[in-house]
Amino acid sequence: MNLLILSGSAFPGSHTHAVARVIESLVEQPEHTVTHVDLREYDVPVFGQGKTDDVETLKRLAEKADAIIIGTPNYHTSFSGLLKNALDHLSMDEFEMKPVGLYCNSGGMRNSDPLTQLRMVMRGLHAMVLPIQVCTCDADFERTDEGRVLTNDELTGRLGVMIDGLVRQSHAETVSI
């Protein structure tokens, strides 16, 4: 499986990025490959204002991926504008019948509202969003010299279940009606 992780936080060392690192560590390699796109490092103009090499790279990575995991911080009970803008540059060509996993981080308490909204966006792109999702909060992490580290073993286990689901779905044959 060729897995693409899209991290939608605008901040370096974010909780969203820390979860992406855990996902990378859980994917069995070299059997599967992982590409992590930290969107804050990409030059993605506001949709409709032109395209850049980074937009073309993002489209190519999404198209080649067998499965995609999308992570976002909770910004005012929604997903980040950075992520929304990047998704606006993508289309059904990259997502049609592709398995997608979702995760988010909220500050004080878990909140799945951003993922509910992302599910609607993914439905519009004809993606197959897994029913399992992961919601973290700041208390699930410790700060170390290397940055934030997810310390909640239950959530790490849920991430493993999500990855297993993506592997199964990416190998499943889709049927056209």
Side-chain angles (χ1 to χ4, degrees), residues 161-175:
V161 172
M162 178 191 295
I163 292 165
D164 289 345
L166 290 171
V167 170
R168 281 193 308 277
Q169 288 298 317
S170 70
H171 288 86
E173 187 175 326
T174 57
V175 178

Side-chain angles (χ1 to χ4, degrees), residues 19-137:
V19 174
R21 285 196 322 267
V22 171
I23 292 167
E24 288 178 272
S25 74
L26 293 173
V27 175
E28 294 178 20
Q29 298 179 26
E31 179 182 350
H32 306 290
T33 60
V34 179
T35 303
H36 177 201
V37 171
D38 191 342
L39 289 170
R40 70 179 187 79
E41 296 175 352
Y42 273 55
D43 178 19
V44 181
V46 172
F47 186 67
Q49 301 299 309
K51 293 188 179 176
T52 62
D53 289 342
D54 282 347
V55 169
E56 294 306 316
T57 298
L58 180 61
K59 289 174 76 85
R60 199 169 39 258
L61 289 170
E63 186 176 350
K64 289 181 179 180
D66 298 311
I68 299 174
I69 295 180
I70 300 173
T72 186
N74 178 349
Y75 289 162
H76 307 297
T77 67
S78 187
F79 54 97
S80 73
L82 185 68
L83 177 59
K84 173 66 167 114
N85 187 55
L87 291 173
D88 285 345
H89 282 276
L90 301 174
S91 69
M92 285 183 267
D93 292 340
E94 291 84 25
F95 283 99
E96 181 91 34
M97 298 305 290
K98 192 167 287 183
V100 173
L102 302 174
Y103 72 92
C104 69
N105 182 77
S106 300
M109 57 188 254
R110 281 178 236 300
N111 183 334
S112 63
D113 289 346
L115 302 185
T116 300
Q117 294 172 25
L118 270 173
R119 283 180 184 282
M120 290 187 291
V121 172
M122 291 296 103
R123 186 172 52 231
L125 292 169
H126 296 187
M128 298 185 333
V129 181
L130 296 181
I132 190 168
Q133 60 190 25
V134 177
C135 299
T136 62
C137 64

